[in-house]
């Protein structure tokens, strides 16, 4: 201990001021879910108590992320550095308006899914860890939204990925094993591409702190040089794979329809959006120069993704697979926003459209998968040919499904309308007419696909072969499963949000505009992480 | 030394891609294992290679005397190794279970989730 006698001034290397109590909220979502996941795992044999504990924890997550969002809106971007070492050496966790918004919406969706799972996940599913995996999945999702370090982004991605594997094969069916193999292998390849790009970034800049990289890229003479272009292309490929954009989307319709319906709902809501979030973060905040030359490629990918998703949905008989393609179509819309963001004048509008669309898509896709689960409980099948006459069973549910169908197609007065207006406006303002046209055409085809589901499952008299015009009692219904609030309440919450964002979009537009301007003009973000010298 | 390691990494990537293009799941998984290792070596090389000088600071100094090995990429690689190894182990077990259930390790024949002659949706309204 020879060095211990030397007095060292730590102020040069460490943050000496204590952290304000409210800033601890940044780590609260990850902490609650991580500790909660462990707690639920310990309770795995007590399948009655486990859902209750899980729901309390998910409720706490919603409260914590709401408090975080309110604090970010009040105080601007907030940062917390691990171990108090000054960035870029200390690992920073940062919440800006974009990250906090997505964390909050993600928590709401996870809460609804946990509630829905109380009825739809049987005791064997609980025993094999539905609630622990759900909570740990949220650890990864919230961590990804709140980290300010690229390597940590990779680690959080892995946390959510390994939990998603667990959820995907919960039940151990043949079809699940098949889906999980494809999902697992392709996501691991995508993750490795992400890691390659991250390794190259470290080689170029010697840092992995996002704000630090942003400063160093801005100071470069030629920020669109060959090496950075390679990095940008690798990041785009990796995150496009996570988000299921066109050429690398085929794992999604192969796997999302295999697990328990509530697992599909969470996946469809959250996982692909984490990829989109990472794309926005990397391309708009860190590599804006690379976005300029990638914009045409991204725009093209967006157009093809929009069309693949919508046309793929039209070709499906199985409701869950149809919805899987609609997830892909939604990703196309968000990528369209990213492509337009290369134009400085339209960047804020485009990115805020993409953020609003992500929020809308998180809510509406989860709600649609839950609705599909209820359809199969009522009608006994996910197959459009074997469904029918559900309007007679529950007219209110038919109405709710129609609301969700309108919302996912982007028809007013529901939540899908406003982000599409913003995105189409931005695309036309940037002279990308094909992009705007693709968004509209995809919305039209989605309307057809969803209209067909509604007509066949709800409107006609009974399954295929029943003479039309007479009401038929459909078999396969399990009324016991459908009674109680655990099934209807989460669907009701999400539908209420869809209607609210449709009728009162100002709040969400303001929020997403704040999130977007925080990424497009990252001064506040950089100041928050690096201090005033940044 | 970086040149030699870079060539080696390139070879690793080549082998990994070749194996991943196979239609047998076991080969694909071996490809993924090699891919993971090549990525780890890439990160390591990106931290600049130095020989046998540990990053230790003598007691009477604040900074190291000479150029030392960079500890950060070692920490990164350690994390990445743990993650890629655990994922490989998981996928290996998953592939074995899939082989037991589906009686094949050929990916073209794994068509349970996406049946080959899928029904078309009902036509007309």
């Amino acid at each position: 201990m020879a060095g211990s006698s030397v007095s060292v001034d730590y102020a040069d290397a460490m943050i000496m001021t204590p952290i304000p109590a409210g800033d601890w909220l940044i780590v609260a979502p990850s902490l609650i879910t991580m500790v909660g996941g462990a707690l639920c795992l310990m309770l795995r044999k007590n399948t009655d108590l486990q859902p209750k504990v899980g729901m309390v924890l998910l409720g706490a997550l919603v409260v914590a992320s709401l408090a975080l969002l309110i604090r970010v809106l009040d105080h601007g971007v907030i940062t917390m550095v691990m171990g108090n070492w000054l960035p870029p050496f200390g690992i920073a966790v940062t919440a800006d308006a974009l990250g906090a918004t997505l964390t909050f919406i993600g928590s709401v969706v996870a809460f609804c899914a946990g509630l829905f799972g109380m009825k739809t996940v049987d005791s064997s599913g609980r025993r094999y860890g539905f609630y622990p995996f759900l909570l740990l999945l949220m650890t990864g999702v919230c961590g990804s939204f709140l980290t300010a370090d690229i390597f940590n982004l990779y680690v959080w991605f892995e946390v959510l990925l390994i939990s998603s594997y667990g959820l995907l094969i919960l039940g151990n069916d043949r079809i699940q094993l098949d889906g999980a193999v494809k999902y697992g292998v392709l996501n691991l390849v995508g993750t490795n591409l992400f890691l390659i790009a991250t390794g190259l970034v470290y080689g170029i800049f010697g840092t992995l702190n996002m704000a630090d990289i942003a400063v160093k890229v801005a100071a470069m003479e030629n920020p669109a040089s060959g090496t950075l272009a390679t990095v940008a292309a690798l990041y785009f490929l990796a995150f496009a794979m996570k988000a299921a954009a066109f050429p690398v989307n085929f794992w999604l319709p192969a796997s999302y329809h295999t697990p328990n319906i509530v697992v599909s709902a969470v996946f469809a809501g959250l996982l692909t959006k984490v990829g989109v979030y990472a794309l926005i973060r990397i391309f708009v905040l860190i590599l804006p120069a690379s976005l300029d030359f990638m914009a045409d490629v991204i725009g093209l990918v967006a157009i093809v993704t929009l069309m693949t998703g919508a046309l793929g949905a039209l070709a499906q008989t199985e409701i869950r697979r149809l919805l899987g393609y609609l997830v892909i179509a939604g990703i196309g819309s968000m990528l369209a926003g990213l492509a337009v963001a290369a134009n400085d004048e339209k960047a804020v509008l485009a990115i805020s459209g993409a953020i609003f669309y992500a929020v809308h898509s998180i809510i509406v896709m989860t709600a649609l998968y839950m609705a599909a689960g209820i359809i199969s409980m009522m009608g006994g099948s996910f197959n459009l040919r074997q469904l029918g006459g559900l309007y007679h069973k529950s007219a209110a549910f038919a109405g709710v499904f129609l609301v969700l169908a309108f919302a996912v197609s982007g028809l007013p007065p529901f939540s899908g309308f406003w982000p599409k207006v913003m995105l189409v406006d931005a695309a036309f303002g940037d002279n990308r007419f094909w992009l705007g046209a693709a968004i509209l055409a995809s919305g039209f085809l989605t309307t057809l696909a969803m209209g067909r589901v509604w007509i066949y499952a709800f409107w006609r008299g009974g399954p295929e072969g029943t003479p039309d015009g007479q009401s038929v009692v459909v078999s396969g219904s399990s009324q016991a499963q459908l009674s109680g609030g655990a099934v209807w309440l989460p669907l009701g919450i999400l539908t209420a949000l869809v209607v609210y964002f449709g009728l009162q979009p100002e709040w969400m537009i303001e929020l997403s505009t704040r999130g977007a301007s925080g990424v497009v003009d990252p001064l506040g973000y950089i100041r928050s992480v690096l201090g005033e010298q940044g | 030394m970086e040149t030699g390691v870079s060539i080696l990494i390139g070879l690793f990537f080549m082998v990994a891609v070749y194996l991943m293009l196979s239609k047998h799941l076991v080969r694909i998984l071996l490809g993924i294992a090699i891919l993971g290792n090549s990525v780890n070596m890439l990160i390591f090389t990106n931290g600049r290679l130095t020989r046998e000088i540990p990053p230790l600071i003598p007691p009477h100094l604040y900074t190291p005397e000479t150029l030392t090995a960079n500890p950060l990429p070692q920490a990164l690689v350690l994390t990445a190794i743990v993650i890629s190894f655990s994922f490989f182990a998981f996928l290996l077990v998953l592939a074995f279970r899939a082989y037991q259930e589906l009686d094949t390790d050929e990916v073209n024949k794994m068509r349970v989730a996406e049946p080959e002659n899928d029904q078309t949706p009902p036509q007309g309204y």
Side-chain angles (χ1 to χ4, degrees):
Chain A
M1 300 295 283
S4 59
S5 59
V6 186
S7 71
V8 181
D9 183 15
Y10 288 108
D12 285 344
M14 293 178 91
I15 297 167
M16 304 306 279
T17 49
I19 299 160
D23 284 8
W24 284 90
L25 281 171
I26 301 183
V27 286
S30 301
L31 269 183
I32 291 172
T33 48
M34 211 185 295
V35 175
L39 198 66
C40 280
L41 191 64
M42 285 188 270
L43 291 172
R44 70 187 180 284
K45 287 184 179 161
N46 193 339
T47 48
D48 292 331
L49 189 60
Q50 196 194 34
K52 297 185 184 97
V53 175
M55 285 319 296
V56 170
L57 289 162
L58 286 169
L61 174 65
V62 174
V63 173
S65 51
L66 179 64
L68 175 64
L69 178 61
I70 291 171
R71 188 168 171 87
V72 168
L73 293 181
D74 280 352
H75 294 248
V77 188
I78 48 178
T79 301
M80 192 171 158
V81 184
M82 297 301 109
N84 277 352
W85 288 99
L86 278 175
F89 300 106
I91 293 167
V93 187
T94 302
D96 61 350
L98 168 61
T101 308
L102 290 176
T103 310
F104 172 58
I105 298 292
S107 317
V108 172
V109 163
F111 179 81
C112 292
L115 204 55
F116 198 78
M118 288 176 88
K119 264 279 154 71
T120 51
V121 177
D122 56 7
S123 67
S124 113
R126 289 178 193 166
R127 216 180 153 82
Y128 284 110
F130 172 72
Y131 283 96
F133 280 134
L134 181 63
L135 281 162
L136 290 173
L137 183 83
M138 286 315 292
T139 313
V141 171
C142 296
S144 307
F145 287 149
L146 295 178
T147 183
D149 181 286
I150 297 188
F151 194 79
N152 276 33
L153 185 63
Y154 159 76
V155 176
W156 290 123
F157 258 101
E158 301 304 283
V159 170
L160 76 87
L161 203 55
I162 197 82
S163 329
S164 69
Y165 289 170
L167 284 174
L168 195 60
I169 52 168
L170 208 70
N172 207 5
D173 283 344
R174 286 182 78 212
I175 188 169
Q176 287 181 315
L177 288 165
D178 188 12
V181 165
K182 286 154 192 170
Y183 175 86
V185 168
L186 289 172
N187 268 292
L188 197 51
V189 172
T191 306
N192 271 321
L193 289 172
F194 176 18
L195 195 53
I196 295 170
T198 305
L200 291 175
V201 163
Y202 180 71
I204 299 168
F205 298 111
T207 175
L208 290 165
N209 187 304
M210 290 189 197
D212 201 20
I213 298 172
V215 172
K216 286 188 174 163
V217 172
M220 276 174 96
E221 274 176 26
N222 180 14
S225 67
T227 348
L228 269 191
T230 316
V231 169
L234 275 170
Y235 271 130
F236 182 64
L237 181 58
F239 292 131
M241 218 160 161
K242 298 276 174 200
F246 167 62
V248 282
N249 64 342
F250 293 99
W251 58 270
L252 192 148
S255 60
Y256 270 27
H257 65 291
T258 57
N260 187 316
I261 193 73
V262 60
V263 174
S264 300
V266 185
F267 282 17
L270 291 175
L271 297 194
T272 47
K273 277 65 176 190
V274 183
V276 172
Y277 163 81
L279 275 176
I280 292 178
R281 199 50 109 204
I282 298 272
F283 275 95
V284 185
L285 178 75
I286 300 180
L287 303 170
S290 306
L291 183 61
D292 291 344
F293 76 85
M294 292 279 287
D296 288 337
V297 179
I298 297 176
L300 190 64
V301 168
I303 292 173
V304 189
T305 309
L306 279 162
M307 295 327 282
T308 333
L311 290 172
L314 269 180
Q316 297 305 316
T317 327
E318 231 254 14
I319 296 179
R320 289 175 298 176
R321 294 191 63 190
L322 186 152
L323 294 177
Y325 277 99
L326 291 186
V327 175
I328 297 174
I331 294 301
S333 298
M334 290 170 237
L335 287 182
L338 187 64
V340 179
N343 181 336
D344 287 337
E345 284 168 22
K346 293 286 168 195
V348 173
L349 180 63
I351 293 296
S352 56
I355 295 170
F356 193 171
Y357 200 96
V359 169
H360 146 76
S361 178
I362 288 175
I363 297 170
V364 83
M365 288 321 299
T366 311
L368 272 172
Y369 268 97
M370 284 178 184
I374 296 175
I375 287 178
S376 92
M377 285 179 216
M378 281 182 167
S381 172
F382 285 108
N383 194 320
L384 276 186
R385 285 176 180 273
Q386 290 156 23
L387 286 167
L390 296 184
Y391 185 85
H392 294 293
K393 294 210 153 181
S394 170
F397 177 53
V400 166
F401 192 85
L402 200 59
V403 167
L404 296 173
F406 269 46
V408 76
S409 317
L411 297 176
F414 302 112
S415 66
F417 177 65
W418 300 104
K420 281 211 172 163
V421 168
M422 293 159 87
L423 288 170
V424 171
D425 181 19
F428 282 165
D430 189 31
N431 286 329
R432 293 180 192 271
F433 295 106
W434 285 107
L435 200 56
I439 296 175
L440 296 175
S442 168
F444 174 67
L445 294 174
T446 309
T447 316
L448 289 186
M450 289 310 290
R452 179 154 70 191
V453 174
W454 198 79
I455 285 171
Y456 280 105
F458 291 95
W459 201 0
R460 67 174 174 180
E464 205 170 47
T466 1
D468 212 5
Q470 58 190 79
S471 62
V472 181
V473 180
V474 193
S475 63
S477 162
S478 48
Q479 288 299 334
Q481 227 182 342
L482 283 170
S483 62
V487 171
W488 297 107
L489 187 62
L491 187 67
I493 295 173
L494 295 174
T495 313
L497 281 175
V498 165
V499 176
Y500 174 71
F501 286 151
L503 296 177
Q504 294 287 327
E506 292 88 359
W507 183 70
M508 197 58 225
I509 289 178
E510 200 196 313
L511 199 59
S512 52
T513 308
R514 253 189 98 165
S517 38
V519 214
V520 173
D521 180 20
L523 198 64
Y525 188 91
I526 292 168
R527 281 245 169 97
S528 168
V529 178
L530 296 180
E532 289 304 316
Q533 84 272 18
Chain B
M1 194 153 66
E2 271 100 348
T3 320
V5 180
S6 303
I7 292 169
L8 185 67
I9 294 170
L11 281 173
F12 265 53
F13 272 120
M14 240 167 69
V15 174
V17 171
Y18 173 76
L19 283 172
M20 285 194 300
L21 291 175
S22 161
K23 54 184 175 180
H24 290 281
L25 200 51
V26 177
R27 282 169 181 252
I28 295 176
L29 285 180
L30 287 176
I32 285 179
I34 294 174
L35 181 71
N37 283 312
S38 53
V39 176
N40 291 338
M41 286 204 299
L42 184 138
I43 298 177
F44 197 58
T45 317
N46 262 309
R48 315 287 186 271
L49 298 175
T50 41
R51 289 198 65 170
E52 292 160 8
I53 308 166
L56 295 177
I57 304 172
H60 57 279
L61 290 177
Y62 285 135
T63 49
E65 281 171 308
T66 50
L67 281 178
T68 61
N70 187 349
L72 188 69
Q74 304 189 16
L76 299 183
V77 166
L78 198 58
T79 317
I81 286 175
V82 173
I83 290 175
S84 66
F85 178 71
S86 59
F87 274 71
F88 175 68
F90 176 84
L91 281 179
L92 204 59
V93 177
L94 182 69
F96 180 63
R97 278 291 291 136
Y99 169 71
Q100 282 183 322
E101 288 284 329
L102 309 174
D103 276 334
T104 176
D105 81 326
E106 210 177 302
V107 281
N108 288 336
K109 291 183 183 159
M110 293 182 148
R111 301 289 307 225
V112 188
E114 291 181 293
E116 220 154 346
N117 300 314
D118 210 5
Q119 266 183 321
T120 50
Q123 309 290 317
Y125 288 96

